[in-house]
Amino acid sequence: MKLVAICFSKKGAELLKRLKDCLKGDEVLCFCKMSGDIDEDSGIQAITGETADIVRDCFDNQTPLIFAGACGIAVRLIAPFITDKLHDIPVIVMDELGQNVIPILSGHVGGANELSERIANVLGAKAIVTTATDINKTFSVDIFAMENRLKINNKDGIKDVSGKVLRGEPIRISIEEFPPESGADVVISENSISRDYLWLSPKKYVLGIGCKRGKTREEIENAVKEALSKLDIDYDDIYAFASIDKKADEKGLLDLSAFHRIPFVTFSAEILQKVEGDFESSDFVKDTVGVDNVCERAAILLTGGKGELVLRKQARDGVTVAIARRHF
């Protein structure tokens, strides 16, 4: 995971150095506003321009952001870039002594609460989680939707469901037409005719992706956007990205997955070759990776083998994309 951390003092810089050392499996980019407080060997970069530029870049690239300093500083810096709870990045504040770790934005969908707990564990600190459903240990409908790959179609309905939960009232969830829609608090359905409840729908599409080595997220994104535009599909309706296991460590694909918070799943060439269907075949691809088609086969396989290709292989600048629709 790529993280950006910002501090404003010598003690903050010392804390970020500890954090970087503790999270060795992650890419932690550390910045300090007070250049005189930086140890040359710490791996922390001095901020010579505006701190807001770094914050803006984090929001633009969906990079989790950590502050070592006062909550007030963090709030003022992130305020211009906040959009909504389903798309904001996770933002965390630590006091400069590393005693408390506080998620202040996107605790649930963005994963700030979970990341705060993880950071607190490695630093020996305390995670200060303030979201009501968490501290009361009750059902969280947005986490439920995220874990079950359900699209939230009317986010304002989340507060109504959470309000009932916190009042100790029962929640009625309707799946399709049974139980009946009338009186439901949450409806899980492909289609809906009303917004009087929280409407969750299964994410319909799987994107199979193949690419040459070294393709950046932006290059892959260009090909994906072009494919999505042909069917007028939004990222919020994508269940997962799929590819071959030889691409499991492909940075561009991993960055794409992290940026959109969409799972990235890979399969071996042997398993992909066994997928039944009418696929475009390439001898070059087979000689290179061991299977005649990656994107179409991977997309169908991740639907459980029962979906349908709604967009066959599209090639652009060394990236191939196919789209399959899941059947429920």
Side-chain angles (χ1 to χ4, degrees), residues 4-15:
V4 167
I6 299 173
C7 67
F8 308 92
S9 67
K10 182 177 181 179
K11 287 185 177 179
E14 292 171 352
L15 177 60

Side-chain angles (χ1 to χ4, degrees), residues 3 5 12-30 39 41-44 66 94 118-119 122-123:
L3 308 169
E14 292 171 352
L15 177 60
L16 293 195
K17 176 63 166 59
R18 280 180 57 204
L19 180 67
K20 191 177 179 70
D21 290 342
C22 289
L23 299 179
K24 292 186 181 300
D26 299 287
E27 181 185 0
V28 186
L29 304 179
C30 299
D39 183 337
D41 299 323
S42 66
I44 299 174
I66 303 164
M94 306 181 295
R118 182 177 163 222
I119 290 172
V122 299
L123 292 180

Side-chain angles (χ1 to χ4, degrees), residues 275-312:
V275 179
E276 296 182 358
D278 178 23
F279 306 113
E280 181 179 325
S281 180
S282 167
D283 291 335
F284 173 77
V285 173
K286 188 168 186 178
D287 290 341
T288 304
V289 298
V291 62
D292 63 357
N293 183 300
V294 170
C295 61
E296 292 181 352
R297 288 180 177 277
I300 286 294
L301 182 55
L302 199 53
T303 68
K306 298 178 180 180
E308 63 174 322
L309 278 176
V310 292
L311 186 70
R312 289 192 170 275

Side-chain angles (χ1 to χ4, degrees), residues 214-280:
K215 288 294 177 180
T216 64
R217 176 182 69 80
E218 291 77 13
E219 290 173 315
I220 298 172
E221 182 105 58
N222 288 336
V224 168
K225 283 182 177 179
E226 185 176 280
L228 294 178
S229 67
K230 293 184 177 182
L231 298 179
D232 195 26
I233 295 173
D234 189 84
Y235 276 105
D236 287 341
D237 217 5
I238 298 175
Y239 177 77
F241 299 126
S243 192
I244 192 168
D245 58 4
K246 290 181 173 61
K247 298 296 178 182
D249 63 346
E250 190 71 45
K251 186 176 185 302
L253 288 170
L254 294 173
D255 288 347
L256 183 75
S257 171
F259 183 85
H260 292 288
R261 301 174 189 167
I262 295 173
F264 174 46
V265 182
T266 62
F267 305 98
S268 69
E270 291 76 15
I271 291 175
L272 289 174
Q273 192 64 51
K274 293 178 182 177
V275 179
E276 296 182 358
D278 178 23
F279 306 113
E280 181 179 325

Side-chain angles (χ1 to χ4, degrees), residues 77-309:
L77 282 168
I78 68 174
F81 311 110
I82 295 174
T83 55
D84 67 75
K85 67 185 300 174
L86 300 184
H87 300 97
D88 287 329
I89 64 170
V91 179
I92 293 167
V93 178
M94 306 181 295
D95 66 87
E96 64 176 27
L97 297 182
Q99 297 173 329
N100 302 292
V101 184
I102 312 164
I104 65 170
L105 190 67
S106 202
H108 285 164
V109 176
N113 288 358
E114 183 180 356
L115 181 58
S116 293
E117 295 279 4
R118 182 177 163 222
I119 290 172
N121 286 336
V122 299
L123 292 180
K126 182 177 181 180
I128 310 296
V129 175
T130 59
T131 39
T133 52
D134 290 275
I135 62 173
N136 286 284
K137 301 186 185 305
T138 56
F139 173 71
S140 170
V141 72
D142 43 352
I143 289 181
F144 169 80
M146 180 178 64
E147 291 178 343
N148 289 280
R149 305 301 299 151
L150 297 169
K151 178 182 178 181
I152 299 173
N153 294 286
N154 53 330
K155 67 179 184 297
D156 291 341
I158 295 173
K159 65 178 183 296
D160 297 326
V161 175
S162 296
K164 289 192 71 172
V165 170
L166 293 170
R167 291 193 297 271
E169 300 173 17
I171 296 299
R172 187 180 187 189
I173 299 178
S174 171
I175 301 176
E176 293 294 344
E177 296 181 2
F178 184 84
E181 181 179 301
S182 177
D185 300 290
V186 181
V187 172
I188 303 174
S189 175
E190 283 194 79
N191 303 296
S192 178
I193 59 173
S194 172
R195 294 295 182 95
D196 296 333
Y197 42 78
L198 178 61
W199 172 29
L200 308 178
S201 57
K203 299 190 178 215
K204 300 183 184 72
Y205 301 100
V206 173
L207 262 66
I209 306 176
C211 67
K212 292 181 178 178
R213 276 289 176 191
K215 288 294 177 180
T216 64
R217 176 182 69 80
E218 291 77 13
E219 290 173 315
I220 298 172
E221 182 105 58
N222 288 336
V224 168
K225 283 182 177 179
E226 185 176 280
L228 294 178
S229 67
K230 293 184 177 182
L231 298 179
D232 195 26
I233 295 173
D234 189 84
Y235 276 105
D236 287 341
D237 217 5
I238 298 175
Y239 177 77
F241 299 126
S243 192
I244 192 168
D245 58 4
K246 290 181 173 61
K247 298 296 178 182
D249 63 346
E250 190 71 45
K251 186 176 185 302
L253 288 170
L254 294 173
D255 288 347
L256 183 75
S257 171
F259 183 85
H260 292 288
R261 301 174 189 167
I262 295 173
F264 174 46
V265 182
T266 62
F267 305 98
S268 69
E270 291 76 15
I271 291 175
L272 289 174
Q273 192 64 51
K274 293 178 182 177
V275 179
E276 296 182 358
D278 178 23
F279 306 113
E280 181 179 325
S281 180
S282 167
D283 291 335
F284 173 77
V285 173
K286 188 168 186 178
D287 290 341
T288 304
V289 298
V291 62
D292 63 357
N293 183 300
V294 170
C295 61
E296 292 181 352
R297 288 180 177 277
I300 286 294
L301 182 55
L302 199 53
T303 68
K306 298 178 180 180
E308 63 174 322
L309 278 176

